[in-house]
């Protein structure tokens, strides 16, 4: 059985993926911030040990550690946020939009179509 719009019975349906987009964005921002803060606190301890390399070495090490922490944290947060958003899309939000009439709705899980990635 093909999925159809409950308002106009059209089969021209499109996924909205609102939860996935919002979850991924929130995850990247929060994960990147957390990763950078963790890297900065670790870099402070490393700066004391790396003081023998001079001020330039300490500055470069601190900046590199913060950037690396932000990238790793942002990636992990983005993946986790996208997964959570995907679950919200399929189980909570009206995630299907009819291209014929513009109606948004949620299908029962048994009827949920698998769409190719955009």
């Amino acid at each position: 059985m093909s999925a159809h719009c409950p308002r106009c019975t059209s089969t021209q349906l499109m996924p909205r993926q609102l939860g996935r987009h919002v979850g991924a964005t929130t995850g990247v921002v929060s994960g990147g911030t957390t990763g950078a803060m963790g890297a900065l606190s670790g870099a402070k301890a490393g700066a004391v040990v790396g003081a023998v390399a001079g001020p330039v070495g300490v500055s470069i090490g601190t900046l590199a550690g913060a950037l690396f922490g932000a990238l790793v944290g942002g990636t992990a947060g983005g993946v986790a946020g996208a997964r959570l958003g995907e679950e919200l899309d399929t189980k909570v939000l009206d995630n299907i939009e009819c291209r014929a009439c513009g109606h948004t709705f949620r299908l029962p899980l048994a009827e949920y179509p698998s769409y190719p990635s955009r």
Side-chain angles (χ1 to χ4, degrees):
M1 180 175 148
S2 175
H4 62 277
C5 175
R7 182 183 287 169
C8 71
T9 67
S10 172
T11 57
Q12 296 180 9
L13 306 178
M14 181 174 76
R16 293 178 66 208
Q17 298 180 340
L18 180 64
R20 184 176 186 185
H21 294 302
V22 170
T25 302
T26 304
V28 166
V29 170
S30 63
T33 303
T34 304
M37 291 301 140
L40 282 174
S41 66
K44 287 179 184 177
V48 173
V49 175
V52 293
V56 175
V58 171
S59 298
I60 291 173
T62 301
L63 181 61
L67 287 174
F68 182 72
L71 289 173
V72 170
T75 302
V79 170
R83 294 267 174 143
L84 177 62
E86 196 170 331
E87 289 297 311
L88 287 173
D89 281 339
T90 58
K91 297 179 180 170
V92 177
L93 300 174
D94 290 344
N95 192 38
I96 306 293
E97 182 177 0
C98 177
R99 296 181 89 179
C101 70
H103 180 63
T104 58
F105 59 96
R106 179 172 39 106
L107 292 174
L109 287 177
E111 296 180 31
Y112 208 81
S114 66
Y115 293 100
S117 298
R118 290 194 232 183

